[in-house]
Amino acid sequence: MAQQEKKKSRVFDYFCEKEDPYVGGVAWCAGCTLELAARFVPKVLGNDMVLVGCPGCSAPVFYGQNTGAWHRLSYFSCLMTGVASSATGISRYFRRIGKDVTVVCFTGDGCAADVGFQPLSGAAERNEHIIYICYDNEGYMNTGYQRSSTTPLGASTSTTPAGIASKGKPTPAKNMPLIMSLHGAAYVATATLSHLEDFAKKLLKAKEKKNEGFVYIHVFAPCNMGWRMESNSSIQVCRMAVRTNYFPLWEAENGKFRLTQETANPRPIQEFTRPIRKFAHLKEADIDKLQQMVDERYAFIKGLCAIGN
Amino acid sequence: MKAQKGQVKVITGNATAAYAAMLCRPDVVTSYPITPMSEVAEQLSAFHADGILDAEMVEVEGENSAMNVVAAASISGGRAFTATSSWGLSFMYDAVQQASGFRAPVVMAIANRETPGILAVSGGQQDIVSARDTGWIQIIVEDCQEIFDTIIMAFRLAEDYDIQLPVMVNYDGFYLSYLAQAVEIAAREDVDRFLEPLKQQPQRPRLVPGEPLGAGTHGIEIGFVELRYKHCTAMERATTKLDKIDKEFGELFGRSYGGQIEEYLTGDAEIIVIASGGAAGTARTVVDAKRNEGIKVGLIKIRLFRPFPRKRLVEALRGKKAIGVIDRSVCFGWNCGPMYMELRALSPDIGVVPMLSYIDGMANLDITTPHIERVIDETYAAARGKPYQEVTWIPLEE
Ligand SMILES: Cc1ncc(C[n+]2csc(CCOP(=O)(O)OP(=O)(O)O)c2C)c(N)n1
Ligand code: SF4
């Protein structure tokens, strides 16, 4: 008994002791990390928030079905083009009437990095009091696994299919979290589902910082269906993304960068790509290119962390 | 009790729009500059900087965001105002439709401007014609005083519990936007008094943080159909509601505009000329002149373009012998003016009489008194059985 008590971690507390605002049987695929993120965020931030979302894989659950709701959160649904701007309107109105409200945008990378990028960039520059959480499944999953601008180099998607004349996506992913941090936002961080303690800390920090200005959290969130991987492998894939430096965990508070998870001996990128069949067609030379890109990006973040330390 | 006499200022249409919006005490104000309405944004920012306007000001990075900001603020329970023109309206097209679908009662001033290409920096009504099926209420006004009065009335209409729909208040870009006229600026207390009845109404549905309530989630299947139906019936109610609000405004401020349409010498008229916006003012003087010549002509100024004032028009037009309609935009696919096309749809109710479409005043070209004389002369001749041309592009025939 006593031993069990000791084992309790913060993450355990969040998951098992906080009320889950969702009902069971929601319309997400088995093994989907977006579901995990969507369930975890309110557990840490509390149910007393306004969730703002748009079309994407999160939408069917957030919308509910006709008169049936799948969660107990106050929710504002809008278009992919209007998430950060709608959140601005909500946040500004409640600020005007003197009510402290946590406004949380929760969208895919397709919205954040592509069609909804302009309003996101505008809201970040204006330092609106909003928390924007982007779950990055590296593509437009809801419409059938097409490429987005965060799809990595070489990934085979339904609009960049690998074939005799194609090696998958020809350009590397847009470095979204870095771009957002350069807006001068109050707080920017990366997170993933294999490192929940780290994610929780960042969410708590987000709640604190949102009264100062814009917060952006970029969550690496594999999609089993679109990436063509086993439904029980998603957490391991998250972990390997961190351990290979493919997705480094860092935060930037008022422009000051810090790695929150150092990888002593980074693993080769194959250990990340191997279980993911969207990379299955890549030859050694292609993998080398991907490795080179990962190394360069990691060095860049390391360099940013060194500034001012 | 009548309102006190307001201060008279000689100001542009844009500045007038800003004064009216400011006096309505909006909670959230945003807009993205575009010719010819930029001055609205500047004037509102100046009011804010001077401490006259106590609102959240959002300097958005584009019109699409402007519309999303005001719609969301409105759904959260606030009063919200924005302004735009032409491409700005096009760039917020998705959000415009969403705002009405949300039943977000925002008010937007539009300085009407052409759209076919970047060099079309000129007046015309094509921008709002392109938005006539967005589910918004659209009102077109004639002069600066009417801009002022109508923006105040627009908030009463938009936020009315029976309506809950967004309203566009349209004025001629370049002409009215930049034209300075004497405008009586109502006293703050009187504007408050006019908007007071909204506070007595039940609270409209809104987003409540922490409450399990979805905003902007629409039903599917039958739930969706029901929402659409309710939207349409609310639009329908807006017609007579505008008449009522306009009358009430007149009782308080001594100025009213006929609500949905303004009729001028229509009672005994044999023929009618129909216009909107600033052109109606010119038409009124030409009608006076033609009356002196013994031609029994009347004028109808269309104020409410959406919902279309069907009933009022039918009452005013029944028994008339011919109708000439002046449009400042085109109806693609029908090759005539859009208002003309709408008027044609009333034929079964008013009887088949000659209807003549005149396209004029596009691209900043003036709708002159000789132009309107021509409209009246030809319509009059048509009423007497003379052959007539259905559609006339006046500038091309000069
Ligand atoms: C303006 C607009 N264009 C296209 C769509 C169609 N659409 C719906 S979901 C989606 C993809 C969303 O991708 P992402 O934001 O990454 O979310 P995910 O599906 O991956 O969860 C698209 C393109 C849309 N809803 N709105
Ligand atoms: S398609 Fe992918 S992102 Fe969407 S619910 Fe399924 S696993 Fe999750």
Side-chain angles (χ1 to χ4, degrees):
Chain A
M1 207 48 196
Q3 230 177 352
Q4 258 182 13
E5 285 285 293
K6 232 177 89 195
K7 264 193 193 159
K8 258 193 186 183
S9 67
R10 284 299 299 262
V11 168
F12 178 92
D13 294 348
Y14 287 130
F15 263 102
C16 301
E17 291 183 357
K18 294 253 175 126
E19 188 201 8
D20 188 344
Y22 295 88
V23 299
V26 295
W28 280 311
C29 307
C32 175
T33 53
L34 143 62
E35 169 166 7
L36 206 50
R39 285 183 186 274
F40 193 58
V41 167
K43 277 181 186 276
V44 182
L45 293 180
N47 294 349
D48 187 22
M49 58 158 152
V50 176
L51 193 63
V52 185
C54 71
C57 273
S58 55
V61 176
F62 287 171
Y63 290 171
Q65 289 293 310
N66 243 353
T67 52
W70 267 334
H71 61 80
R72 283 187 293 273
L73 299 164
S74 45
Y75 175 59
F76 189 89
S77 90
C78 51
L79 304 168
M80 286 182 84
T81 44
V83 178
S85 43
S86 296
T88 298
I90 297 165
S91 154
R92 290 294 192 103
Y93 172 68
F94 287 114
R95 200 198 305 180
R96 162 136 181 92
I97 63 166
K99 200 170 155 85
D100 181 23
V101 172
T102 306
V103 181
V104 181
C105 302
F106 191 88
T107 79
D109 49 287
C111 169
D114 293 340
V115 74
F117 181 73
Q118 177 183 317
L120 169 56
S121 175
E125 183 273 333
R126 292 189 306 268
N127 233 351
E128 299 291 348
H129 295 189
I130 295 170
I131 299 174
Y132 195 112
I133 298 172
C134 166
Y135 60 90
D136 184 4
N137 48 27
E138 303 186 336
Y140 308 148
M141 297 327 186
N142 195 237
T143 35
Y145 325 126
Q146 298 91 359
R147 66 92 94 182
S148 76
S149 62
T150 64
T151 301
L153 180 71
S156 178
T157 72
S158 49
T159 48
T160 57
I164 292 170
S166 161
K167 286 182 179 174
K169 185 169 177 259
T171 52
K174 185 188 270 187
N175 197 333
M176 247 328 251
L178 196 59
I179 291 168
M180 293 315 295
S181 68
L182 297 180
H183 279 74
Y187 185 65
V188 175
T190 62
T192 191
L193 286 313
S194 52
H195 293 67
L196 285 177
E197 198 70 53
D198 177 80
F199 191 5
K201 273 189 199 144
K202 288 167 175 171
L203 286 170
L204 289 174
K205 176 70 103 184
K207 197 163 181 175
E208 181 192 315
K209 296 296 281 187
K210 74 113 175 66
N211 288 326
E212 283 173 36
F214 199 79
V215 173
Y216 178 81
I217 301 183
H218 195 90
V219 183
F220 178 75
C223 159
N224 314 68
M225 298 300 291
W227 296 16
R228 283 165 281 141
M229 52 192 234
E230 299 305 321
S231 59
N232 61 2
S233 65
S234 18
I235 301 300
Q236 183 59 12
V237 167
C238 292
R239 192 170 290 120
M240 291 320 291
V242 177
R243 289 195 181 160
T244 56
N245 286 339
Y246 176 84
F247 191 81
L249 295 174
W250 54 267
E251 64 180 10
E253 194 176 339
N254 304 328
K256 224 168 134 14
F257 287 77
R258 185 176 81 86
L259 280 166
T260 59
Q261 189 77 33
E262 291 265 16
T263 28
N265 296 304
R267 309 277 181 87
I269 192 66
Q270 289 93 325
E271 293 196 21
F272 164 67
T273 54
R274 197 171 294 127
I276 307 168
R277 287 200 286 280
K278 70 174 175 181
F279 294 119
H281 61 287
L282 294 185
K283 304 273 183 306
E284 211 177 305
D286 309 320
I287 293 283
D288 287 349
K289 255 196 215 158
L290 194 61
Q291 180 71 61
Q292 191 191 340
M293 194 215 70
V294 166
D295 294 344
E296 279 170 13
R297 287 195 177 189
Y298 187 72
F300 199 82
I301 281 289
K302 278 287 263 189
L304 289 172
C305 293
I307 297 171
N309 279 346
Chain B
M1 201 178 77
K2 282 255 175 223
Q4 57 189 286
K5 176 103 184 84
Q7 202 188 354
V8 177
K9 285 185 191 292
V10 179
I11 48 173
T12 62
N14 283 335
T16 308
Y19 266 97
M22 177 268 288
L23 287 169
C24 291
R25 300 184 191 273
D27 295 300
V28 177
V29 170
T30 176
S31 76
Y32 189 83
I34 183 169
T35 301
M37 63 54 70
S38 305
E39 190 192 357
V40 182
E42 292 165 359
Q43 186 63 61
L44 285 165
S45 304
F47 285 147
H48 185 255
D50 293 343
I52 301 167
L53 171 61
D54 180 17
E56 284 293 323
M57 306 294 288
V58 191
E59 303 84 36
V60 284
E61 76 303 322
E63 290 86 351
N64 191 281
S65 290
M67 184 44 58
N68 280 298
V69 166
V70 289
S74 173
I75 288 298
S76 304
R79 176 168 295 163
F81 177 82
T82 188
T84 193
S85 180
S86 176
W87 300 122
L89 183 61
S90 316
F91 186 42
M92 57 168 79
Y93 196 60
D94 57 347
V96 160
Q97 293 179 81
Q98 184 182 248
S100 68
F102 279 2
R103 306 288 297 271
V106 307
V107 172
M108 172 159 64
I110 305 184
N112 299 137
R113 179 184 143 179
E114 275 294 355
T115 50
I118 193 61
L119 286 178
V121 188
S122 59
Q125 290 176 332
Q126 202 70 45
D127 52 4
I128 48 152
V129 166
S130 308
R132 66 179 148 173
D133 285 334
T134 52
W136 279 60
I137 294 168
Q138 296 178 314
I139 306 173
I140 306 170
V141 305
E142 178 188 332
D143 59 25
C144 290
Q145 187 69 58
E146 196 180 341
I147 295 176
F148 182 85
D149 297 343
T150 306
I151 286 177
I152 296 167
M153 286 191 247
F155 277 109
R156 265 291 294 276
L157 181 63
E159 292 179 14
D160 189 287
Y161 192 75
D162 291 338
I163 307 294
Q164 297 184 54
L165 281 172
V167 180
M168 295 178 192
V169 177
N170 297 280
Y171 53 94
D172 296 319
F174 301 91
Y175 291 89
L176 273 188
S177 60
Y178 297 149
L179 177 73
Q181 289 182 321
V183 180
E184 186 182 335
I185 308 289
R188 202 175 256 285
E189 311 81 77
D190 289 319
V191 177
D192 287 346
R193 190 140 62 96
F194 183 71
L195 296 175
E196 183 63 25
L198 290 171
K199 291 195 186 141
Q200 264 94 60
Q201 296 190 342
Q203 205 182 57
R204 60 190 155 88
R206 61 190 57 200
L207 186 72
V208 184
E211 292 237 333
L213 249 178
T217 51
H218 55 75
I220 54 170
E221 296 171 355
I222 199 71
F224 174 89
V225 179
E226 195 182 327
L227 285 186
R228 267 284 196 253
Y229 175 76
K230 286 181 171 167
H231 187 159
C232 279
T233 47
M235 286 283 271
E236 209 42 47
R237 286 194 291 273
T239 53
T240 47
K241 186 71 84 173
L242 178 60
D243 290 341
K244 207 172 140 263
I245 290 172
D246 181 70
K247 194 159 161 273
E248 220 181 288
F249 190 91
E251 281 156 12
L252 184 60
F253 293 102
R255 292 181 299 272
S256 61
Y257 300 90
Q260 306 169 55
I261 58 171
E262 188 199 293
E263 296 182 49
Y264 184 66
L265 306 179
T266 51
D268 68 337
E270 205 178 309
I271 62 161
I272 298 288
V273 50
I274 292 182
S276 68
T282 320
R284 211 175 282 116
T285 60
V286 183
V287 164
D288 283 341
K290 287 287 169 190
R291 281 269 174 176
N292 286 338
E293 289 173 22
I295 294 180
K296 281 191 172 171
V297 55
L299 167 73
I300 293 178
K301 175 173 98 176
I302 296 203
R303 298 187 73 239
L304 191 62
F305 181 48
R306 274 294 179 272
F308 201 63
R310 283 176 66 172
K311 284 208 181 80
R312 290 276 310 271
L313 282 170
V314 168
E315 279 163 25
L317 290 171
R318 202 176 272 143
K320 306 303 177 197
K321 297 212 174 75
I323 302 160
V325 187
I326 303 170
D327 272 288
R328 295 191 65 206
S329 53
V330 296
C331 181
F332 290 112
W334 278 73
N335 197 18
C336 62
M339 296 239 186
Y340 171 81
M341 178 222 170
E342 307 259 341
L343 259 302
R344 281 294 294 252
L346 299 181
S347 287
D349 302 318
I350 57 178
V352 178
V353 295
M355 286 193 187
L356 293 77
S357 172
Y358 291 92
I359 293 169
D360 199 10
M362 288 196 294
N364 271 0
L365 293 171
D366 292 326
I367 301 179
T368 62
T369 45
H371 289 188
I372 296 171
E373 277 169 19
R374 173 184 175 171
V375 172
I376 294 174
D377 291 343
E378 289 178 3
T379 307
Y380 190 63
R384 317 222 132 213
K386 292 254 172 62
Y388 62 92
Q389 180 175 316
E390 190 192 352
V391 183
T392 307
W393 291 63
I394 294 181
L396 297 183
E397 294 203 356
E398 278 209 299

